[in-house]
Amino acid sequence: MSLARALDADQRADALDHLGSGELDVLVVGGGIVGVGAALDAVTRGLKVGLVEQRDLASGTSSRSSKLVHGGLRYLEMLDFALVKEALEERGLLLTRLAPHLVRPVPFLYPLEHAWERPYVGAGVALYDGMAMAGKYDMGVPKHKHVFRKQLARMAPDVRTEKLHGAIRYYDCQVDDARLVMTIARTAANNGAHVATRTKVTGFLRSDADGTDRIVGVTARDLEGQRDLEIRAKVVINAAGVWTDEVQDLIGGRAQLDVDASKGIHIVVPKDRIRSECGFITKTEKSVLFVIPWGQFWIIGTTDTAWDFDLAHPAASKTDIDYLLGHVNRLLRDPLDHHDVIGVWAGLRPLLKPMRKEGEMGETTKLSREHTVANPVPGLVLVAGGKLTTYRVMAKDAVDHAIRDFSSTPASITDRVPLMGAWGHEARTNQRVALSRSSGLDIGVVDHLLGRYGGLVDEVLALIDARPDLGRPLEGAEHYLRAEVLYAVTHEGARHLDDVLARRTRVSIETFDRGISAARPAAELMAGALGWDEAQLADEVDHYLRRVEAERQSQLMPTDQEADEARVKAPDIV
């Protein structure tokens, strides 16, 4: 088996053929971070595994997070030490072993408004670092440091330091969340999992052959080929996040997990609008405010409000954006306004309501404060809650629960399975100058590619070698290469223009026009690989432009309901 198996049209067709024939050991429903993590966990134990996702990989919550891999400093204040320790261990594991090409350290300043905060916050951050150092894996980031007012003024000249008593600098990590999801999915497929996107579960297959009502698979529809499938599996793991309630409805309402959607929004502003060597974290009356370095930009978030509207397309309102601008401007000498905002996104956190009583409609296992695994009927396992950083633990718990009646199945090994691109990353980074010379690309461009593809950079460079025009910047989004668009289709499972501009790249939130200028050039690059004719190409571009306009209109609305009504005017394309 090739170590660099692609997610492409042939792989998808092959996966659908396998899903529709024979019986799987484990079928995972949901292509977010937990779903792909569960697929990787199960397949590397030697099980026959399939995964279906009704839209694109990471098209829901898992592409709309704060993009942080962190322990959760605020949980220390809640005395939830076990949760923080678990998350810090996973942070170190991802940074140093599993995905060093995708996860990178990022410095934060915690501003101190009162003198008494220094010993209090300092003790908390010291404990945070101590727990990371005492974990099972390397810490991977520098220790915290106390910063005083004059130092703070030099480090962050655009921050109002006159009334501050300095700050504490500490480190966490960040990752492109959608790229992490895609890379895990590709790693799972490389190990034998059958991964099929644009495949929607429409019902459950049931059997009472042994006198017990049992789930034995699902019915599903290939949304592109317009064909129906029966996918049989010994156990189905539902990792549908905020769609958990909808999946539970398909089993007749025998629900165990009650999941609410909480909306968090983020905005993107140019890097030169805030001069600072570090990001910031500070508390607000409702949530935590992050100002996060992101290449040539800053990400500012987040909010925490209930969302009762369309789950597929959560919308940020003008009120949401005003809230973030108002809070960040308390820190800044030169206030930001709506004209500074390049990109906006809204994501939904799957928040668990209180658990049902033990024994009520099946067995329930409470595994941690952050996530829960339940078994409403034999053959079906539900997993919900949690956060990006601890996806691997959630996936392991879900698979452990799913196969507890299997005989002699190996334990999870995902703490020892580097993701694709991790192998060779360090060597290729050391060879960056040679790569620049041999490819003819600037050293900065090579660094950009290494930070996205790691050891798989050779595959991208091979495309450029075969077609030198792919080494040019993408028109309308010059910080990406044309090759990256084609590679997203030929290797990373992208099926539509939105997949490329919103998830395989971040053009949709990193350009002032939100990718409008790049839409046609990107679609033309995709057309040949996907077999689009001119009409389909035009439809893809038109859909993307409609999506951008709907999002812009929603962000002018004062309420969630009005924002939702504006956003849903641009439905998904299949």
Side-chain angles (χ1 to χ4, degrees):
M1 183 181 294
S2 169
L3 290 178
R5 184 178 184 184
L7 292 180
D8 59 10
D10 289 341
Q11 176 275 328
R12 181 178 182 276
D14 181 65
L16 288 169
D17 287 342
H18 278 89
L19 291 173
S21 61
E23 182 186 42
L24 302 170
D25 292 315
V26 176
L27 173 67
V28 180
V29 178
I33 187 70
V34 178
V36 297
L40 177 60
D41 187 284
V43 77
T44 51
R45 298 188 196 215
L47 300 172
K48 186 177 181 182
V49 178
L51 180 145
V52 293
E53 160 60 43
Q54 65 177 331
R55 296 191 294 160
D56 183 29
L57 295 168
S59 56
T61 302
S62 296
S63 62
R64 303 172 185 173
S65 73
S66 296
K67 313 194 189 315
L68 291 176
V69 176
H70 63 141
L73 191 60
R74 66 191 177 101
Y75 289 115
L76 283 182
E77 202 167 24
M78 302 175 189
L79 305 182
D80 204 338
F81 301 121
L83 176 62
V84 176
K85 181 177 183 295
E86 177 181 85
L88 286 171
E89 287 186 344
E90 292 301 307
R91 183 191 74 177
L93 183 61
L94 281 162
L95 175 64
T96 63
R97 187 184 300 183
L98 301 186
H101 57 310
L102 300 178
V103 178
R104 50 191 56 87
V106 58
F108 285 98
L109 292 168
Y110 191 111
L112 304 172
E113 297 181 4
H114 308 284
W116 60 264
E117 288 183 295
R118 186 172 295 279
Y120 176 71
V121 176
V125 177
L127 176 60
Y128 195 68
D129 282 352
M131 293 171 77
M133 289 186 285
K136 292 185 289 185
Y137 312 108
D138 291 340
M139 179 176 173
V141 300
K143 297 177 183 177
H144 74 284
K145 178 182 178 181
H146 284 260
V147 176
F148 296 91
R149 186 179 294 165
K150 288 185 179 180
Q151 294 172 290
L152 180 59
R154 289 194 297 269
M155 295 172 67
D158 279 350
V159 172
R160 296 175 178 172
T161 56
E162 310 82 39
K163 295 183 180 180
L164 295 176
H165 292 261
I168 294 176
R169 187 189 69 185
Y170 76 101
Y171 281 78
D172 259 318
C173 295
Q174 68 179 179
V175 69
D176 184 329
D177 46 9
R179 177 151 291 278
L180 177 64
V181 172
M182 180 279 301
T183 304
I184 297 169
R186 192 174 171 193
T187 307
N190 182 68
N191 282 279
H194 306 295
V195 178
T197 58
R198 263 75 187 199
T199 305
K200 182 178 181 179
V201 170
T202 55
F204 286 96
L205 299 173
R206 313 180 84 119
S207 172
D208 59 358
D210 59 357
T212 302
D213 181 23
R214 181 177 184 86
I215 299 295
V216 294
V218 303
T219 57
R221 184 163 182 80
D222 168 12
L223 297 177
E224 291 192 358
Q226 295 299 304
R227 61 172 172 146
D228 293 315
L229 305 168
E230 285 193 353
I231 306 174
R232 297 193 171 271
K234 295 175 183 176
V235 64
V236 177
I237 296 176
N238 170 46
V242 293
W243 283 271
T244 296
D245 289 351
E246 294 186 6
V247 173
Q248 290 181 136
D249 288 342
L250 294 177
I251 59 173
R254 295 175 64 177
Q256 285 191 289
L257 301 183
D258 198 353
V259 177
D260 275 352
S262 171
K263 182 178 68 169
I265 83 138
H266 296 77
I267 61 176
V268 179
V269 301
K271 194 65 175 286
D272 60 9
R273 284 297 284 112
I274 305 174
R275 291 178 298 161
S276 176
E277 298 174 9
C278 306
F280 291 87
I281 176 175
T282 185
K283 290 192 295 185
T284 71
E285 66 277 9
K286 296 180 181 178
S287 60
V288 175
L289 180 75
F290 286 105
V291 182
I292 308 166
W294 182 259
Q296 304 170 43
F297 311 95
W298 295 100
I299 292 172
I300 301 171
T302 181
T303 58
D304 188 358
T305 56
W307 179 259
D308 299 317
F309 303 101
D310 184 62
L311 296 178
H313 307 104
S317 67
K318 183 177 184 296
T319 301
D320 293 327
I321 298 171
D322 287 341
Y323 173 86
L324 290 182
L325 291 174
H327 279 84
V328 74
N329 284 341
R330 295 178 185 176
L331 290 172
L332 302 178
R333 298 184 188 280
D334 183 12
L336 301 171
D337 62 27
H338 285 263
H339 297 293
D340 295 306
V341 177
I342 296 175
V344 182
W345 74 85
L348 300 178
R349 305 177 190 91
L351 299 183
L352 291 167
K353 285 185 177 180
M355 297 293 296
R356 298 181 187 274
K357 294 180 181 179
E358 185 104 11
E360 180 182 330
M361 291 192 293
E363 176 192 354
T364 298
T365 304
K366 180 73 172 173
L367 292 171
S368 85
R369 176 191 179 94
E370 282 290 287
H371 70 271
T372 299
V373 175
N375 184 204
V377 294
L380 176 65
V381 169
L382 308 176
V383 56
K387 62 180 183 177
L388 182 78
T389 305
T390 55
Y391 81 87
R392 193 192 66 83
V393 177
M394 292 179 65
K396 172 185 175 296
D397 289 345
V399 176
D400 281 345
H401 199 71
I403 65 172
R404 65 195 187 283
D405 295 328
F406 287 22
S407 59
S408 64
T409 301
S412 174
I413 63 167
T414 50
D415 61 337
R416 304 188 299 280
V417 179
L419 303 183
M420 293 186 69
W423 188 87
H425 167 61
E426 191 170 4
R428 286 292 179 265
T429 300
N430 291 339
Q431 298 162 355
R432 55 197 283 274
V433 174
L435 289 175
S436 174
R437 289 172 180 163
S438 62
S439 66
L441 300 174
D442 290 343
I443 191 75
V445 174
V446 172
D447 288 341
H448 161 83
L449 296 176
L450 286 166
R452 285 170 51 76
Y453 305 100
L456 298 177
V457 68
D458 294 337
E459 294 183 340
V460 182
L461 295 178
L463 292 179
I464 296 171
D465 186 58
R467 283 184 52 185
D469 67 290
L470 295 176
R472 298 200 308 265
L474 175 65
E475 298 91 327
E478 284 71 20
H479 47 300
Y480 291 98
L481 297 183
R482 289 164 53 85
E484 295 180 81
V485 174
L486 183 59
Y487 186 83
V489 174
T490 58
H491 290 73
E492 296 180 341
R495 307 289 297 166
H496 295 281
L497 181 59
D498 193 58
D499 299 348
V500 171
L501 298 185
R503 285 175 290 279
R504 303 305 183 277
T505 71
R506 292 300 188 167
V507 171
S508 66
I509 60 168
E510 293 177 349
T511 54
F512 269 107
D513 70 354
R514 311 217 179 165
I516 288 177
S517 299
R520 179 81 192 189
E524 290 173 349
L525 285 166
M526 297 173 67
L530 291 171
W532 294 347
D533 58 19
E534 178 58 34
Q536 189 168 358
L537 189 156
D539 283 346
E540 290 279 341
V541 174
D542 181 66
H543 167 264
Y544 184 78
L545 300 187
R546 288 175 182 272
R547 184 207 120 162
V548 170
E549 181 58 25
E551 288 183 345
R552 282 178 164 162
Q553 290 301 314
S554 71
Q555 292 154 20
L556 299 176
M557 301 300 171
T559 68
D560 280 353
Q561 181 173 343
E562 291 168 297
D564 175 69
E565 289 171 354
R567 177 61 186 90
V568 297
K569 290 180 180 178
D572 287 335
I573 190 172
V574 176

